[in-house]
Amino acid sequence: MNLRINNYLLFLRSYLPINWALPTILFLIILSLLITIPAWAQKALRKLNVISGEVSAVSKDFIAVVYRSDKAKGSEEEIALPVANDAVVEHKQSLSQIGIGDMVDVEYEEYTEETPDGQKSKRVAVAVRFLRAAPKQPEPFTFEVEEEEVEE
């Protein structure tokens, strides 16, 4: 490797004036860095977030979580996320074992992607941590009324 660089420097010295050699080398180094920056920048723009809440919908590749609710106003805030194929499910065997009403932590990756229409923000769940099962709803109380025979 060093032999190649030395040969290149000898080539530059023989064909370019000495005052052009250093700027040319610096230009080539900067150019090579600029070409590889988009890969660095894309990784740098990825942000990992965690949100906790109650599962409102779930399927094999999708989860929706209500993370804030205001009963006085009657409003809820919900986030719906696609689940990555290699997502980790903690405290359960798979996502199919998590049901509506369960409490979970969802770790998701947020990143910006360049599209023909401009930049687009995307979110993907990379880990789902089961916290506790949904509270069991008591079955409604039913009673039977026995009809009395009425004699006339």
Side-chain angles (χ1 to χ4, degrees):
M1 183 73 178
N2 287 337
L3 185 59
R4 284 185 180 173
I5 294 172
N6 287 337
N7 287 340
Y8 182 71
L9 291 174
L10 288 174
F11 169 78
L12 285 176
R13 285 186 189 152
S14 63
Y15 288 102
L16 295 173
I18 193 67
N19 57 349
W20 283 95
L22 186 59
T24 304
I25 292 171
L26 289 176
F27 172 76
L28 292 174
I29 291 171
I30 291 171
L31 183 64
S32 67
L33 289 175
L34 288 176
I35 291 171
T36 58
I37 281 180
W40 295 348
Q42 194 172 30
K43 286 182 182 177
L45 292 177
R46 292 182 178 263
K47 183 178 167 189
L48 207 56
N49 297 316
V50 177
I51 196 156
S52 298
E54 181 180 331
V55 175
S56 59
V58 66
S59 72
K60 66 178 183 171
D61 57 353
F62 168 84
I63 190 163
V65 177
V66 175
Y67 60 92
R68 186 179 304 139
S69 65
D70 187 354
K71 292 185 182 187
K73 292 182 181 177
S75 66
E76 293 181 335
E77 292 186 39
E78 179 181 46
I79 186 168
L81 299 165
V83 178
N85 293 334
D86 58 346
V88 177
V89 179
E90 295 179 17
H91 307 297
K92 290 288 184 180
Q93 297 293 326
S94 68
L95 202 59
S96 63
Q97 292 182 337
I98 294 176
I100 295 174
D102 291 348
M103 295 300 290
V104 294
D105 282 343
V106 178
E107 193 171 309
Y108 65 95
E109 194 172 63
E110 190 169 8
Y111 61 94
T112 304
E113 193 174 76
E114 196 66 40
T115 64
D117 299 331
Q119 290 186 343
K120 198 172 199 178
S121 180
K122 292 195 174 189
R123 297 176 179 153
V124 177
V126 293
V128 178
R129 187 175 304 109
F130 176 81
L131 299 177
R132 68 174 185 263
K136 295 189 178 189
Q137 298 292 329
E139 292 185 24
F141 179 73
T142 58
F143 58 94
E144 294 179 18
V145 177
E146 293 182 21
E147 292 184 24
E148 295 179 15
E149 292 182 24
V150 178
E151 292 182 23
E152 291 182 29

